Amino acid sequence: MKNAFIIMRKEFARFFKDPRLVLGTLILPGLLIFFVYTLLGSVFYEKEPSYTLKIVNPSASFAALFEEQDAYTLEEAEASQVEAIKGEIKEGKTDLLIVFPENFDAILVGGAYAPPGEEGSPNVEVWYDSAQMRSATAYNTVAGLLDTLEDMVSSRFDVNLSGGGDLSTKAEAEASYYAMLLPFLVLTFLFSGCLGIAPESIAGEKERGTIATLLVTPIRRSELVIGKICSLSVLSALSAISSFIGTFLAMPKLMGGNIGDMFAAYTAGDYLALFAVMLSAVLLIVCIISILSAYAKSVKEATAFAMPVMVVVMLLGLSSMIFGTVKNPAAFLIPAYNCVQMMSQIFSRALSPVCLVITLASNAVYIGLLVFALTKMFKSEKCMFNN
């Protein structure tokens, strides 16, 4: 056991005496995750989301259940406004519509009524749009409260039996599903493709010693950097696109649809926008991994440095599932996150040209700054030769 402890002490000393390993393995992952999610949560999202529910023929019994639901605002509406309110739900201006039968409270306390499930039985209509996260959340809350009310009054009414329900079409529901899942998968594919190629191109050459031969050639360092980034981006994009196409074609089968309908659901402009966003994302990721590779001493070390970044990128990809699609233009200034949100807009068929321009322009600035930084690193003998 003595020798085992000696080996352990040696390995611990090797690890903790190397600031690069300590920084990349112990400090950066938690720090980056905390910073990114704190920024997203505190700047771009409501701390206490509020929901607007409109009610026709309000019920005092139902309203009593909402006394502790501070996030919900109940607004009374007229029966003549039902169709207009449905349009508001589709537009995202109203989250939910509840239509109670006339004299609903009298029925609950023992008035004349047909048994539930039979013709003429009291039916509560709940209209919502499952393609919108807020509306779906509000529906889940209301459905739970109506279930509670049913249990309290011995099931004297029905919910959405003869009227009411989901306002979204099958195509809209599928688009909402794609918008939540595909951005995460695409970003993961892009990063995996870059991680499999970029470290070997720079850190690998440093490790083998061939970087010196390349640096003494009569070529400007900026041209060398641009050539590497462009070639790595093309190779990484091809790898990612291959995986994405397979996933994209499999999605309709997963949803019980067909591939033709899925392709027809999106326009040529949507596909061009998606290509532009993916291209900017892969350039951004390649630049980041290239800088880490230039700083690292070996491919193994470069890969270790990239792991915290991969964790953050994957968490940003998950933001489309957690937070849905945001509309704040400032959110599209955040690198990588803006690509996720743009893909979410594209797949949900709600593309905003303004947000697309902000995303591509801001990413172009970030890529330019990263190329400049990488050029400086290539000019530094200390960085390139680990002096």
Side-chain angles (χ1 to χ4, degrees), residues 16-290:
F16 287 105
K17 287 182 179 179
D18 190 335
R20 300 178 181 220
L21 290 177
V22 173
L23 179 65
T25 307
L26 299 183
I27 299 176
L28 279 181
L31 189 63
L32 288 173
I33 293 170
F34 173 79
F35 174 76
V36 169
Y37 268 63
T38 298
L39 177 65
L40 295 180
S42 61
V43 177
F44 298 114
Y45 301 98
E46 301 172 281
K47 293 184 179 179
E48 296 182 1
S50 58
Y51 301 88
T52 302
L53 277 60
K54 294 192 175 181
I55 301 178
V56 176
N57 302 323
S59 164
S61 302
F62 179 75
L65 298 177
F66 263 89
E67 290 181 356
E68 298 182 1
Q69 302 290 334
D70 297 332
Y72 289 81
T73 301
L74 305 181
E75 297 182 4
E76 185 174 350
E78 300 295 330
S80 59
Q81 298 176 300
V82 168
E83 293 303 318
I85 296 173
K86 289 180 184 179
E88 292 178 5
I89 294 174
K90 294 292 293 180
E91 295 172 2
K93 297 178 181 178
T94 300
D95 298 309
L96 197 80
L97 169 64
I98 309 174
V99 181
F100 287 102
E102 294 183 2
N103 304 317
F104 182 69
D105 289 327
I107 294 173
L108 297 185
V109 297
Y113 67 96
E118 295 187 6
E119 185 177 353
S121 64
N123 178 66
V124 178
E125 299 180 9
V126 182
W127 297 96
Y128 67 103
D129 185 356
S130 63
Q132 300 191 43
M133 186 176 295
R134 288 176 55 87
S135 185
T137 300
Y139 172 74
N140 290 332
T141 300
V142 169
L145 293 175
L146 287 173
D147 286 341
T148 300
L149 186 59
E150 274 192 285
D151 293 338
M152 293 169 58
V153 298
S154 302
S155 300
R156 296 191 174 192
F157 63 93
D158 298 314
V159 177
N160 287 358
L161 184 63
S162 58
D166 191 356
L167 292 171
S168 67
T169 63
K170 181 182 178 181
E172 290 171 337
E174 290 178 352
S176 177
Y177 179 77
Y178 300 149
M180 287 192 296
L181 183 60
L182 286 177
F184 167 73
L185 294 177
V186 171
L187 206 62
T188 302
F189 294 149
L190 290 175
F191 196 94
S192 298
C194 296
L195 188 60
I197 299 173
E200 178 63 29
S201 177
I202 298 177
E205 291 205 32
K206 289 178 65 177
E207 190 174 5
R208 293 187 297 271
T210 56
I211 193 73
T213 304
L214 188 62
L215 291 175
V216 297
T217 55
I219 182 175
R220 296 173 60 183
R221 299 295 167 87
S222 59
E223 294 175 339
L224 174 60
V225 168
I226 292 173
K228 276 191 170 291
I229 287 177
C230 289
S231 60
L232 291 172
S233 297
V234 171
L235 295 174
S236 301
L238 290 175
S239 173
I241 289 172
S242 174
S243 300
F244 169 68
I245 290 175
T247 305
F248 192 72
L249 295 178
M251 280 294 162
K253 297 297 182 182
L254 187 64
M255 296 291 293
N258 61 75
I259 297 174
D261 290 341
M262 183 176 185
F263 276 105
Y266 300 100
T267 66
D270 291 331
Y271 289 113
L272 287 174
L274 178 61
F275 174 78
V277 172
M278 290 178 64
L279 180 60
S280 70
V282 76
L283 284 169
L284 192 64
I285 294 171
V286 164
C287 287
I288 293 172
I289 296 180
S290 295

